[in-house]
Amino acid sequence: MSGKRAMIEVEALHKHFGDNHVLKGIDLSVAVGEVVCIIGPSGSGKSTLLRCINHLEYPDRGNIRIDGKLAYRDEIDGRYRAHRARDIAAVRAQVGMVFQHFNLFPHLTVMGNLIEAPVHVLRRPAAEARRRGLELLAQVGLSDKADAYPEELSGGQQQRAAIARALAMDPKAMLFDEATSALDPELINEVLTVMRDLAAGGMTMLVVTHEMNFARQVASRVIFMDHGRIVEQDTPERIFGAPREARTQDFLRSVLDH
C-alpha cells in the first residue's frame, strides 16, 4: 500500500453462515484513492467481504475501520458495543455500494432514486439534492433519463443510475459487487467506462469483478481470494504476469483460456 492513509481497514475478519466458515481471518487495507480489485472463484467469500464492510452482514469476529474510525461498534475497556441504527447508517453512508442487481426503487423515477437517501438520510434540501442528482446523471451519461422509471431503462442504464445513486451520498469510498455480471455483453463496457472515470478521478474503490481486463488496466492492486482467504495480492502486472501461488495460476489459467 502507498504512503497515503487507509480509507478501509479490515482486521482478522471472520464470518460463518451456520457451519460454513465463509471468511477465515481476512486482513485488508485500501488506501485513499486506491483501486483494489478482488478476483477469485464463486463461493470464495468476495461478496460477503464487501457486505461486511457495508454492514449488510455482521462479522462474527474482527474489526472494520472506515477512515481510521472503528465502524459499526465501539470498543470500551476491551469490550465491544454495537452502534445504534442511526450511527450505523451514518457510517454506511460513507461507503457507497453497487450490487450485481441494480436494486433501484421501481416506483420512483431515476431522479427520485437519486434524491431519496440524500433527502431522508442526510436531510438535504430537495432542491439541492436534485441539483446534485443532475450533475451525477450527466457524469454517468444519463442526463436525459431523470424522469424515466427503471423499467424504461436498459440494464446498463439501470446500473449507471445505481452508481449515480450511490455517489449522491458523497461517499468516501465505493464498493462494487460484480457490477457488470447481470448485464448483456454489449452493455458491460458502458458501466466499466463509468467505473474507469471514477478511478481516474481519484475515488477509493474496492471492486469484486470477473472482468479481468478491467482489473489488469485499472486496479492499483489485485487480490485473489479462495475458500475465504486472501491467497495472494500484488500489482496487476505481477498477478496476471507472474502469480506466485499455484492456486492463483490455476484460476487465471481457467478464466483467461475462455
Side-chain angles (χ1 to χ4, degrees):
M1 195 181 73
S2 72
K4 294 181 179 179
R5 78 178 190 278
M7 179 55 71
I8 299 170
E9 296 171 277
V10 176
E11 303 167 346
L13 205 70
H14 288 261
K15 177 65 181 176
H16 292 77
F17 293 108
D19 294 332
N20 186 12
H21 195 176
V22 180
L23 297 178
K24 302 173 182 175
I26 298 292
D27 292 299
L28 169 66
S29 186
V30 182
V32 172
E34 194 177 17
V35 178
V36 176
C37 286
I38 304 178
I39 63 173
S42 296
S44 57
K46 308 183 300 293
S47 294
T48 300
L49 173 59
L50 261 58
R51 291 175 66 84
C52 286
I53 291 171
N54 206 36
H55 203 68
L56 296 169
E57 304 287 353
Y58 195 79
D60 301 313
R61 280 186 286 143
N63 291 322
I64 296 165
R65 286 182 169 80
I66 306 298
D67 203 7
K69 296 180 181 177
L70 189 64
Y72 313 121
R73 57 184 187 163
D74 293 313
E75 182 181 8
I76 301 171
D77 296 329
R79 304 185 69 175
Y80 290 100
R81 182 184 63 193
H83 282 172
R84 296 172 300 174
R86 184 162 61 177
D87 296 325
I88 288 171
V91 176
R92 184 185 279 162
Q94 299 178 48
V95 187
M97 188 157 178
V98 178
F99 300 86
Q100 176 177 343
H101 299 289
F102 321 122
N103 290 8
L104 296 170
F105 296 118
H107 63 288
L108 296 177
T109 64
V110 170
M111 181 59 73
N113 270 276
L114 262 65
I115 68 174
E116 176 80 5
V119 169
H120 292 102
V121 177
L122 300 182
R123 305 297 180 189
R124 286 187 181 156
E128 178 187 326
R130 185 174 292 275
R131 279 195 301 273
R132 176 65 175 144
L134 289 171
E135 292 174 2
L136 291 168
L137 289 178
Q139 184 177 330
V140 301
L142 292 175
S143 291
D144 59 337
K145 300 297 184 183
D147 297 324
Y149 285 88
E151 65 179 12
E152 300 172 315
L153 305 181
S154 71
Q157 290 170 331
Q158 288 188 58
Q159 193 60 297
R160 284 185 282 150
I163 293 171
R165 181 179 64 177
L167 292 171
M169 297 293 282
D170 295 327
K172 295 179 176 180
M174 288 283 286
L175 311 176
F176 292 87
D177 187 12
E178 302 284 12
T180 60
S181 62
L183 299 177
D184 294 332
E186 65 270 20
L187 301 177
I188 288 173
N189 204 51
E190 65 187 56
V191 174
L192 292 180
T193 296
V194 171
M195 294 171 65
R196 285 188 179 96
D197 289 345
L198 279 177
M203 174 61 74
T204 306
M205 295 165 59
L206 186 57
V207 183
V208 169
T209 186
H210 286 308
E211 297 293 331
M212 297 300 148
N213 282 334
F214 177 86
R216 191 195 302 262
Q217 295 165 8
V218 180
S220 322
R221 181 161 40 109
V222 176
I223 290 172
F224 174 65
M225 281 185 67
D226 191 28
H227 293 297
R229 291 189 170 93
I230 292 176
V231 176
E232 186 169 359
Q233 57 180 311
D234 214 317
T235 63
E237 294 77 16
R238 168 67 76 170
I239 291 292
F240 290 106
R244 296 180 176 86
E245 301 293 331
R247 184 66 191 93
T248 315
Q249 296 165 14
D250 291 343
F251 171 77
L252 289 174
R253 196 176 297 119
S254 70
V255 297
L256 296 176
D257 284 349
H258 291 86

